[in-house]
Amino acid sequence: MVNVDLIQELEDLRREALQAVADAADERALEGVRVTYLGRKDGRVSSILRRLGSLPPEARPAVGQKANEVKRALEEALQARSAELARRDGGTAVDLTLPARRPWKGGLHPITQAVDEICAIFRDLGFTRARGPEADTEWYNFEALNTPLDHPAADEQDTLYLVDSVLLRSHTSPVQMRIMEAYPPPIRIVAPGWVYRRDTPDATHTPAFMQIEGLVVDEGVTFVDFKATLETFARRYWGADTRVRFRPSFFPFTEPSAEVDVKRVIHRPDGSTVETDWLEIMGAGMVDPNVLANAGLDPERYTGFAFGMGPARIAMLKHGIEDLRTFFDNDVRFLEQFAT
Ligand code: DAH
């Protein structure tokens, strides 16, 4: 009987097709299986369904039912296998049982951390944070600071000029002048910021670097205030047992001038201690009367002191970093060691 043969044929087709689905190694093979059995034109199940009309009426329901059953079973198997392949290939499938990825957490750059720590200590001592322009004039960068343009200090700094007498500031000292012009004493400021010099990058130089300027101006400010303030800062930053030394030096904008060195005591985990060499941490001095006069202040009435330091150098000393350039390479493996 025709319908019995057809039903047997459909059963055989189902077994064969399901095996082909299971054997399909990728999406492309799977699509081949779908076309072979369910393809609209020559699909083997489809053509049986299309031939239903030519069957004797009493045979149609049973064959039609079986053909549809095989078709549905095959569609389900194709879908399941497709999902399985997608999971295997990573595809768009998502495995919700995997642990979530940790979100990226930012951290402050070690130089920024040093700037903030240094400024926080000065804030405790009554200093305000100030800032000035990175592009400034020869007047503010040199002349107002008692540094004639033919002075070796002006030359030594090998300045980057923008136009005519406008330059990228070679130090943060011009902020001293701008603050004295804008605010009456008493003045107590620290001014961190970028400065620029025509330097070839090496382990201790980068053409752009950070400085922190400090300035105190008031009536009756003495060398004792100068020493006590900077010693207090150094001991707070480097440790209470740090020794501080003021070495005579020269800067055009201070008189007298000094370089400030510290000798740190390193505490080892076993309880023993070791002293470092003397480390230079800043230039400083009593504000030159000419500088006060250039700012319109009466040097007979006011005195003050100033200092300038490089927070990157200070961060290098603190963390034992040997090459300044590592701060600017943006290598996350280096930087994330300082993330807090
Ligand atoms: N401006 C100096 C420099 O860049 C650093 C400095 C020295 C700043 C002495 C000061 C100071 O305020 O008093 O080398």
Side-chain angles (χ1 to χ4, degrees):
M1 278 220 332
V2 176
N3 64 340
V4 171
D5 284 353
L6 269 179
I7 281 170
Q8 186 56 51
E9 192 181 330
L10 280 164
E11 284 294 353
D12 293 346
L13 263 183
R14 162 154 53 190
R15 214 175 315 110
E16 187 189 316
L18 290 179
Q19 189 58 52
V21 168
D23 290 345
D26 53 29
E27 270 303 327
R28 187 180 244 252
L30 204 59
E31 177 60 11
V33 175
R34 195 191 64 76
V35 171
T36 304
Y37 295 95
L38 300 179
R40 224 176 286 169
K41 243 173 85 199
D42 305 319
R44 290 168 65 187
V45 179
S46 320
S47 45
I48 291 178
L49 275 166
R50 215 172 327 109
R51 267 163 38 210
L52 273 185
S54 59
L55 293 181
E58 69 277 10
R60 287 176 205 165
V63 174
Q65 205 178 12
K66 183 52 97 184
N68 276 317
E69 188 189 306
V70 171
K71 186 181 167 191
R72 258 197 313 277
L74 199 47
E75 279 168 351
E76 269 169 32
L78 283 165
Q79 207 167 42
R81 179 67 180 150
S82 174
E84 197 176 288
L85 289 173
R87 259 199 308 281
R88 184 198 67 185
D89 298 341
T92 52
V94 175
D95 185 347
L96 296 174
T97 65
L98 287 174
R101 265 184 223 145
R102 206 181 280 272
W104 277 67
K105 190 162 148 263
L108 291 178
H109 191 279
I111 297 179
T112 306
Q113 290 182 29
V115 168
D116 287 349
E117 285 166 18
I118 291 164
C119 289
I121 293 170
F122 281 105
R123 186 182 55 219
D124 285 350
L125 299 176
F127 287 66
T128 306
R129 209 160 152 156
R131 64 201 283 181
E134 289 180 24
D136 216 333
T137 59
E138 282 177 328
W139 166 256
Y140 282 104
N141 197 75
F142 296 121
E143 292 168 296
L145 294 167
N146 205 34
T147 313
L149 294 179
D150 59 359
H151 190 284
D155 185 42
E156 195 181 70
Q157 294 184 329
D158 229 4
T159 306
L160 290 154
Y161 277 82
L162 296 174
V163 286
D164 297 332
S165 61
V166 181
L167 43 81
L168 290 174
R169 65 180 179 189
S170 60
H171 53 176
T172 44
S173 301
V175 184
Q176 291 187 27
M177 190 58 51
R178 293 187 170 275
I179 293 294
M180 285 188 281
E181 284 176 349
Y183 304 96
I187 289 168
R188 278 193 296 267
I189 56 108
V190 275
W194 290 100
V195 303
Y196 303 87
R197 290 185 198 173
R198 201 192 312 232
D199 264 331
T200 305
D202 62 25
T204 53
H205 297 84
T206 52
F209 60 102
M210 272 276 175
Q211 279 193 339
I212 301 178
E213 191 75 15
L215 176 69
V216 171
V217 179
D218 199 358
E219 290 179 34
V221 176
T222 68
F223 202 78
V224 173
D225 301 309
F226 166 63
K227 280 193 76 177
T229 303
L230 295 183
E231 275 179 15
T232 301
F233 160 72
R235 297 220 172 88
R236 290 251 188 115
Y237 190 81
W238 299 105
D241 43 14
T242 300
R243 284 158 65 196
V244 185
R245 174 171 85 175
F246 292 76
R247 209 159 20 87
S249 184
F250 173 79
F251 298 101
F253 32 91
T254 46
E255 182 59 36
S257 303
E259 257 151 279
V260 183
D261 301 336
V262 294
K263 201 187 233 317
R264 295 171 61 194
V265 178
I266 310 280
H267 295 260
R268 294 226 187 88
D270 66 4
S272 66
T273 57
V274 59
E275 281 202 327
T276 65
D277 291 337
W278 286 104
L279 311 165
E280 186 198 320
I281 58 160
M282 65 173 101
M286 300 303 290
V287 179
D288 193 290
N290 290 340
V291 173
L292 294 169
N294 284 339
L297 295 175
D298 178 2
E300 296 300 326
R301 181 173 171 196
Y302 294 108
T303 49
F305 62 87
F307 50 92
M309 62 184 117
R313 198 184 122 71
I314 289 176
M316 285 171 80
L317 291 174
K318 184 161 187 172
H319 299 297
I321 293 163
E322 269 153 26
D323 194 323
L324 182 60
R325 289 167 295 189
T326 51
F327 282 135
F328 304 106
D329 288 340
N330 284 336
D331 185 332
V332 180
R333 292 167 302 177
F334 169 75
L335 294 174
E336 71 187 356
Q337 301 176 79
F338 307 97
T340 46

